[in-house]
Amino acid sequence: MDMFINKITKTISEKFEENGYDSEYGKVNVSNRPDLCQFQCNGALAAAKKYKKAPVAIATEIVESLKSVDIFESLSIAGPGFINITVKDSFLVQYINSMKEDEKCGGSTEEAPKTIVVDYGGANVAKPLHVGHLRSAIIGESIKRTAKFLGHNVIGDVHLGDWGLQMGMVITEVKRRNPELPYFDDNFTGEYPKEAPFTIDALEQIYPHASKLAKSDEAIMEEAKQATLELQNGRRGYVALWKHILNVSVTDLKRNYAALNVDFDLWKGESDAQPYIPDMVKYLKDNNYAYESEGALVVDVSKEDDKFEVPPFLVLKSDGSSLYGTTDLATIIQRTQDFSPNEIIYLADKRQSLHFEQLFRCAKKSNILPENTELDFIGFGTMNGKDGKPFKTREGGVMRLQDLIEIIKSAVREKVVQSDSVSEDQVEETARKIGAAALKYGDLSNQATKDYIFDIERFSSFEGNTGPYILYTVVRIKSILSKCVEISSKEGISITGPYSDAERDLMLQLVKFNEYINVSFKDKAPHKICEYIYDLSNTFSRFYSSTKIVAEEDINKKTSWVALISLVQKVLELGLDLLGIEAPDKM
């Protein structure tokens, strides 16, 4: 469906054109003075400069032309030439009913869909997910879902860190603990054990110990680097052990991501890009894009008009081993060959912006992807504690993500029990959904690029701009509909009215749905969806408090209201789903 505001814009743009002005001046915006009008067109002021006429004269011409159009309740001119617009209720209700009958509630479908790869995991194997992984996972998931909702072909990739120095650290630490294992015997020619020589709990203890040891002992660090290089060169025992690390880690990662309702289409890692590296390096050398500098292979990506220094892109280290950037560049080649994407979107901490600037410049300069392929980096801010510093455990360490999820789940569990509306066997599942909503909405309602304060008391509140408040609105509507089941169960019921200003306001909020979804994707800004569903929830609450739906005796009004709030529920649930949030039936 076309956006409601676009329908008004189209009508007014036609009148600008009919009167000899460019149609672009007919753009309509939502009024910032709802006490005066619903919408406003300010084009007459801009047109006045081009056509050397008084803006009031132009506005008067347009308003006179619009009097023959049967969708406006009132049109007036304010100030130097603003056109104030109020639409007829019949026009509004017609659009609302179209939304009700549409599977996507008026959400548009892209006429020229793109193929988009979203790289939004970035977890390292052999390490537990921690709070630093939260933002990339849930922001990326929302962007992926919104793009799919609009009709794009979207591939979400976790892009695991499974090939770097941490692998060498883990391998050498396992060797120190269990030197008798066959993975370290160069003379072993049999099949390696099918079962891993460690559990996820042991693995999550092995890495931090190995990392701390390597950082304090230069010889151990060199040993880890050598093991990394041997793994990358295909040493048989190390590759077999690496596969165990990967399998054990990915099983745990999938469980943790599932707790956030985050899902990836691809579970590829840096290792999957390795086969592409030799040809890539040869191509960069043969075409004089890469050169040696202090033994390393680099590509100069600086530009004459740079306002800050952009260092060369490092392709290979002096010992010939690859880096994070090497696999990123090779992954672009892999994705181009596999999917021919129109756009690749990366989610990572904004402090990695220089890396992605170098990567994108190198990819474009070396022509390893088509000129029209977009590369987009969304750098997000940090989640901070109330002290304004990056969120830590009480002991000062980085908190595991599963521990954070459990903390916020516990914070809402007691409220669920106290509500006495949820059966005992549903308490845990309900607390899980509300806790996840509190955590995800608390994050996503902030602009992605900005840091924010993690406030568990505020995020888990059932009041205010929080996930639980939005869920409570949905649950309240479900409760009302269950009391009007004789109407809500009928098919084809229509919305009439509006019968009050509060109901009209609710309709005007509903028709913004399509607009907000499109803006959210265009700006890669899930907080726009949060903003919309919060405003819709508030507008519904005002309507609900002034309207006795269940007790209404006029069957026509009651039927219309049931149809209207059913649409509100559906729109809210669609919005929540685009954020990766599930709504419970009771709370």
Side-chain angles (χ1 to χ4, degrees), residues 181-183 191-199 240-241 243-245 247-248:
L181 290 174
Y183 310 100
E191 288 190 13
Y192 293 105
K194 292 182 179 180
E195 293 296 320
F198 38 67
T199 63
L241 188 58
K243 288 180 179 178
H244 284 314
I245 297 169
N247 290 337
V248 170

Side-chain angles (χ1 to χ4, degrees), residues 527-542:
H527 74 276
K528 297 284 187 182
I529 297 175
C530 295
E531 179 184 316
Y532 173 76
I533 59 176
Y534 175 60
D535 287 344
L536 180 58
S537 296
N538 278 339
T539 310
F540 167 78
S541 293
R542 289 192 290 272

